[in-house]
Amino acid sequence: MTERTIRRALLSVSDKTGLIAFAQTLSGYGAELLSTGGTAKALRDAGLAVTDVSEVTGFPEIMDGRVKTLHPKIHGGLLAQRDKHGDAMRAHGIEGIDLLVCNLYPFEATVAKGAGFEETIENIDIGGPALIRAAAKNHDWVTVVVDPEDYALVTAALQESGGKLGANLRHELAEIAFARTAAYDAAVSSWFAAQNSTDTPRRRSFAGKLRQGLRYGENPHQRAAFYATGENRFGVSTATQLQGKELSYNNIADTDAAYELVAEFDPKTPVCAIIKHANPCGVARGASLAEAYRNALACDPVSAFGGVLAFNRPLDAGAAEEIAKLFTEVIIAPDADTEARKIMSAKKNLRLLIAGGLPDPRATGLSFRSIAGGFLVQTRDNAETGRNDLKLVTKRKPTSAEIADMLFAFTVAKHVKSNAIVYAKDGVTAGIGAGQMSRVDSARIAAAKAREAAAAAGWPEPRTKGSAAASEAFFPFPDGLIAVAEAGATAIIQPGGSVNDDEVIKCADELHLAMVFTGVRHFRH
């Protein structure tokens, strides 16, 4: 493959960002400009000479513009291999097209804004993907540009070579083009599956756009990158990084976990979560963000070192001053005030992310997980448990304060790797046990963490005394319940559903515990 001169270019775009300047560059190198509809009008309004596609095809645009480029003189011009198909081109009056500039109807944006069915259908592009695939297939002869961000790349190449484009660039742009049409079709098929309430479509596809390349993955020998799916959900994918080093693969995973957790809580009450290795090591409410942070930190100050912080309200100066006292990797919040940004700017390596809002924990959506030879898909765990969902199963009723702490602990447990046990008191986690093969071990580890925190703070007893304990899945045997009681918990919240529920309830009554069932499990593997 060699350099190709751009003699004829077809421009048909929905997103007209940068279009005029790019078209002027092409015209400056002697390229004839072909165009359609609104694109042609924009070019003419800018004073550029344009040939309408209908003049080339001898056929007008019809059906409200649905049919305009689907014609042999257009597709033949894109698909023709000039060294092989010259006779056919001459016989049918087909001229070659050397450059295609095409981006598609804004289907994804139409879905994101919640448009109705008919409007969404009308934003499914047909001619555009056909043009792009034709040009990309024939990239030995044709250059295809689908993203306005690539105009500068092509312009630089034209300037460097005096109006020609090289084989490597055409090949690179063809790859981008096929990825774009694949992503577009994935978005359309996913939307149709949602419209049809199809949980298990015959084929499932998903796509992402590169947000940033990463230095490595979970470990230095692994390659990685961060892609955004375009889902309208606040978080790391929507965040602006105000300062600090480049985010790592693990930073992004932990930050996502932290932000999804704090989003569970009403922003009327400040909440802070501290995450380490995808698990919370402290979560707390407070009268202020600073108090919430101090309370969360007190749960496990050792593990919190070098952790990720998330807040459910804009970061303020009071919280920033407290955070500045300890090494922190990442902070994410809906926003940050001017003084907080100034305080954090002194911590050069700290990454401060502004997400722009909180994700809706009740919203529907899908989560994906890769396995060897495939991937698992499930709906997002958006189940919510409130006071009216609790089923009292013991003789002793919980107090109002215990109910509040049970619900708080159960919400946190939803975001802890299984098996999970969470102790909470007064809206503050007292101990968290995560990711153990035995639920008893999780209960004991959480209690041990609470004892360590009490010793470090000089408290007379760990905060598990008089706490509420949450288990994200049922207790299969009384031993886990006994371990929780030994830690000092007085109230238990769990899903229930074990064949041994009666035995566990009997044990709770003997220990004078209050226990409620939720009927909802929150495994997190």
Side-chain angles (χ1 to χ4, degrees), residues 417-489:
K417 297 289 186 180
S418 301
N419 285 313
I421 296 291
V422 176
Y423 299 96
K425 187 176 182 179
D426 300 327
V428 178
T429 54
I432 299 172
Q436 298 303 304
M437 291 68 75
S438 162
R439 195 163 299 280
V440 177
D441 287 343
S442 290
R444 290 172 177 165
I445 288 171
K449 287 287 187 181
R451 290 192 295 271
E452 290 173 5
W459 299 332
E461 61 182 13
R463 299 179 77 167
T464 51
K465 298 296 183 181
S467 67
S471 175
E472 98 292 9
F474 61 63
F475 286 101
F477 303 103
D479 54 358
L481 189 77
I482 292 169
V484 166
E486 289 174 345

Side-chain angles (χ1 to χ4, degrees), residues 203-206 367-378:
R203 289 182 174 85
R204 169 74 75 181
S205 58
F206 60 98
S367 65
F368 300 84
R369 184 170 184 171
S370 65
I371 62 168
F375 55 90
L376 299 171
V377 183
Q378 64 176 346

Side-chain angles (χ1 to χ4, degrees), residues 236 251 254-262 271-276 281-283 289-290 292-294 296-297 303-313 315 319-320 322-334 344 350-353:
V236 188
N251 289 153
D254 285 349
T255 304
D256 177 67
Y259 207 53
E260 289 288 327
L261 197 167
V262 296
V271 173
C272 171
I274 306 175
I275 297 289
K276 197 72 173 290
C281 54
V283 185
L289 288 184
Y293 168 71
R294 286 192 297 268
L297 180 63
S303 298
F305 182 84
V308 170
L309 305 184
F311 295 94
N312 68 338
R313 291 170 58 149
L315 185 67
E322 290 291 327
I323 296 165
K325 298 174 184 178
L326 184 72
F327 171 60
T328 299
E329 288 276 7
V330 183
I331 300 172
I332 185 169
M344 291 291 93
L350 182 144
R351 295 89 156 177
L352 177 58
L353 304 182

Side-chain angles (χ1 to χ4, degrees), residues 219-468:
N219 300 290
H221 61 275
Q222 294 173 269
R223 297 165 63 186
F226 176 25
Y227 290 85
T229 63
E231 182 184 13
N232 189 25
R233 188 173 182 81
F234 291 111
V236 188
S237 66
T238 66
T240 300
Q241 183 174 345
L242 299 185
Q243 65 172 68
K245 298 187 297 183
E246 177 184 309
L247 289 166
S248 71
Y249 181 99
N250 295 326
N251 289 153
I252 292 169
D254 285 349
T255 304
D256 177 67
Y259 207 53
E260 289 288 327
L261 197 167
V262 296
E264 297 273 3
F265 300 100
D266 190 332
K268 292 178 182 177
T269 300
V271 173
C272 171
I274 306 175
I275 297 289
K276 197 72 173 290
H277 298 295
N279 277 304
C281 54
V283 185
R285 291 189 173 104
S288 65
L289 288 184
E291 183 179 78
Y293 168 71
R294 286 192 297 268
N295 289 340
L297 180 63
C299 180
D300 188 355
V302 174
S303 298
F305 182 84
V308 170
L309 305 184
F311 295 94
N312 68 338
R313 291 170 58 149
L315 185 67
D316 57 33
E321 288 174 348
E322 290 291 327
I323 296 165
K325 298 174 184 178
L326 184 72
F327 171 60
T328 299
E329 288 276 7
V330 183
I331 300 172
I332 185 169
D335 203 347
D337 66 28
T338 302
E339 189 61 25
R341 296 183 187 205
K342 181 179 178 181
I343 293 168
M344 291 291 93
S345 67
K347 311 285 284 186
K348 300 298 182 185
N349 290 330
L350 182 144
R351 295 89 156 177
L352 177 58
L353 304 182
I354 301 304
L358 285 170
D360 180 359
R362 260 59 73 184
T364 58
L366 298 176
S367 65
F368 300 84
R369 184 170 184 171
S370 65
I371 62 168
F375 55 90
L376 299 171
V377 183
Q378 64 176 346
T379 55
R380 183 179 287 119
D381 183 0
N382 62 352
E384 181 182 24
T385 300
R387 287 175 181 259
N388 294 335
D389 301 309
L390 304 181
K391 178 185 177 183
L392 178 65
V393 295
T394 54
K395 296 175 182 177
R396 185 173 85 76
K397 295 180 180 180
T399 66
S400 179
E402 285 176 327
I403 291 174
D405 283 334
M406 283 192 290
L407 291 171
F408 178 84
F410 196 63
T411 301
V412 174
K414 175 182 174 182
H415 294 266
V416 179
K417 297 289 186 180
S418 301
N419 285 313
I421 296 291
V422 176
Y423 299 96
K425 187 176 182 179
D426 300 327
V428 178
T429 54
I432 299 172
Q436 298 303 304
M437 291 68 75
S438 162
R439 195 163 299 280
V440 177
D441 287 343
S442 290
R444 290 172 177 165
I445 288 171
K449 287 287 187 181
R451 290 192 295 271
E452 290 173 5
W459 299 332
E461 61 182 13
R463 299 179 77 167
T464 51
K465 298 296 183 181
S467 67

